[in-house]
Amino acid sequence: MTKIITIDGPSGSGKGTVSRLIASKLSFNYLDSGALYRALSVSSARHGVNLRNIKGLVDLVEHMDVRFEMDDGNFQMFLDEINVSDEMRTEDAGVRASKIAFYPEIRESLLKRQRKFAFGVGLVADGRDMGTVVFPEADLKIYLTASIEERAQRRYKELIDKGEDVSLRALAKQVRDRDARDMNREVSPLVAADDAVTIDTSEMTVARVLNSIFELVHAKRLI
Ligand code: C5P
């Protein structure tokens, strides 16, 4: 049986970084479910499908040729064999993704693709509803969170390092708006599963977060 670890939480909580490191350390597969929503958002922009055209979007999911690769620790995404990693990481793609993620039909159409990542020894799945909806039977469920200020600050640093001109205030507002959309939607809202362990990473280094999770991994005898 494939062992499953789910790591859910709001954007900027550190779940992407932490999930990748854990998957690599345990030699488990890795599912970045947000990347699937982002892939759909990029694909809809490329094919000129309006974000309110649910049927058109569901059709895109059925035919979407998306592939992920880990290149020297860097997560790469290919759409129709074109590397769209930079495009999908933009704030705009994230906002579009969270608008699409609102529709139950779209969430449903992405379910099968997400579950296909569960094969082999193990899977680390990161997202918003991994422990609640996609893998409710997971062996270990983590909910990572951090204050809005800290999450906006992390995103600010990331973008400034990339040479982008951004305002911390505007980013804090975007983080707040995205939280509101993700937490208040009717289907699969962002919420910790009843059996999840919550870790607030606001004042923790990545190494400390990893240590805490590895303690749980050992306690559950997942390795
Ligand atoms: O995690 P990431 O920021 O890449 O996700 C982009 C958006 O996709 C999120 O803001 C959220 O609205 C949506 N999403 C979701 N369910 C998931 C993963 C992502 O609704 N499991």
Side-chain angles (χ1 to χ4, degrees):
M1 272 284 271
T2 305
K3 310 266 190 224
I4 300 179
I5 301 174
T6 58
I7 305 192
D8 288 304
S11 51
S13 55
K15 63 189 161 49
T17 308
V18 165
S19 302
R20 260 166 243 164
L21 289 168
I22 294 175
S24 144
K25 184 99 182 158
L26 299 178
S27 299
F28 279 15
N29 298 321
Y30 170 56
L31 164 63
D32 175 349
S33 60
L36 281 176
Y37 286 89
R38 286 171 185 265
L40 183 57
S41 101
V42 172
S43 179
S44 67
R46 291 185 165 230
H47 290 93
V49 177
N50 189 291
L51 291 191
R52 289 201 203 91
N53 176 359
I54 319 281
K55 165 128 190 9
L57 291 170
V58 169
D59 274 354
L60 271 187
V61 173
E62 310 271 300
H63 300 106
M64 193 165 65
D65 172 14
V66 64
R67 185 166 63 79
F68 302 114
E69 247 179 42
M70 211 48 118
D71 175 21
D72 221 7
N74 283 320
F75 184 76
Q76 305 282 328
M77 183 171 94
F78 296 82
L79 201 57
D80 300 324
E81 288 308 315
I82 298 166
N83 191 331
V84 292
S85 313
D86 288 340
E87 196 177 339
M88 77 142 186
R89 282 287 153 225
T90 60
E91 210 47 39
D92 182 52
V95 169
R96 285 170 61 88
S98 83
K99 289 185 176 160
I100 290 173
F102 172 82
Y103 299 109
E105 296 88 339
I106 290 172
R107 305 199 69 85
E108 179 69 33
S109 69
L110 282 171
L111 262 186
K112 233 189 291 159
R113 273 192 189 238
Q114 297 178 80
R115 290 186 174 143
K116 277 198 185 140
F117 282 77
F119 64 91
V121 245
L123 170 71
V124 177
D126 111 41
R128 304 293 190 289
D129 60 345
M130 297 297 99
T132 49
V133 177
V134 184
F135 301 109
E137 77 294 359
D139 299 278
L140 173 62
K141 299 180 185 178
I142 310 281
Y143 186 81
L144 282 193
T145 183
S147 67
I148 289 184
E149 294 70 25
E150 176 61 27
R151 290 188 282 128
Q153 188 71 49
R154 287 176 189 169
R155 185 73 182 137
Y156 179 72
K157 188 170 176 314
E158 202 181 307
L159 293 175
I160 292 288
D161 286 350
K162 272 200 216 153
E164 288 186 35
D165 183 20
V166 282
S167 117
L168 182 58
R169 247 177 92 185
L171 278 178
K173 180 173 180 329
Q174 274 172 8
V175 168
R176 214 171 285 121
D177 288 351
R178 183 115 72 96
D179 277 5
R181 261 199 303 276
D182 288 347
M183 291 171 176
N184 298 327
R185 65 173 170 240
E186 270 179 36
V187 177
S188 304
L190 169 63
V191 61
D194 289 341
D195 48 352
V197 178
T198 297
I199 303 176
D200 186 331
T201 68
S202 302
E203 304 203 344
M204 288 172 87
T205 59
V206 172
R208 262 191 67 202
V209 178
L210 284 177
N211 272 343
S212 313
I213 298 179
F214 276 119
E215 276 174 21
L216 297 165
V217 166
H218 281 290
K220 292 255 180 188
R221 298 182 186 281
L222 297 181
I223 42 173

